[in-house]
Amino acid sequence: QVQVVESGGGSVQAGGSLRLSCVASGYPYRRNLVAWFRQAPGKEREGVAVIDTSGDATYYVDSVKGRFTISRDSAKRMVYLQMNSLKPEDTAMYYCALGKHNIVRSTWLKVTTYDYWGQGTQVTVSS
């Protein structure tokens, strides 16, 4: 069973930065996607950013483009989410997820694409 563990959450003021880390115990597919999702209280889980662990392809939700950057260290099975210019609306529990790569990029930020999930790390941005 693949395990996914997130770290790096915390509390910051608006305009600040945080870096989240995600480590997987293994990559179960020939090609894998690793994504960050977030879920605020009373809201649905939302895909934020995703990376193809075999290449350089990335994909972001519009609300974080230009502020968040997803990157990887495949040798360490690590994926990072650098979050800059944080806003109060970024406050949420952030989850790392692992799934099988597919060619339909519009599915990369959908919950149903992912089979393995971490427990989440809280990010709180105060105004």
Side-chain angles (χ1 to χ4, degrees), residues 57-69:
T58 58
Y59 195 63
Y60 297 90
V61 69
D62 287 347
S63 60
V64 307
K65 287 180 181 177
R67 300 189 298 123
F68 291 11
T69 303

Side-chain angles (χ1 to χ4, degrees), residues 37-93:
F37 286 77
R38 65 186 179 187
Q39 189 166 20
K43 294 190 176 181
E44 292 187 354
R45 193 167 294 191
E46 172 190 42
V48 174
V50 58
I51 190 164
D52 173 359
T53 61
S54 300
D56 295 325
T58 58
Y59 195 63
Y60 297 90
V61 69
D62 287 347
S63 60
V64 307
K65 287 180 181 177
R67 300 189 298 123
F68 291 11
T69 303
I70 191 169
S71 61
R72 63 176 175 84
D73 183 338
S74 292
K76 298 180 180 178
R77 292 192 301 277
M78 295 287 297
V79 171
Y80 307 99
L81 185 68
Q82 178 67 43
M83 305 186 295
N84 298 329
S85 302
L86 282 161
K87 303 175 181 181
E89 51 263 44
D90 295 317
T91 295
M93 185 71 78

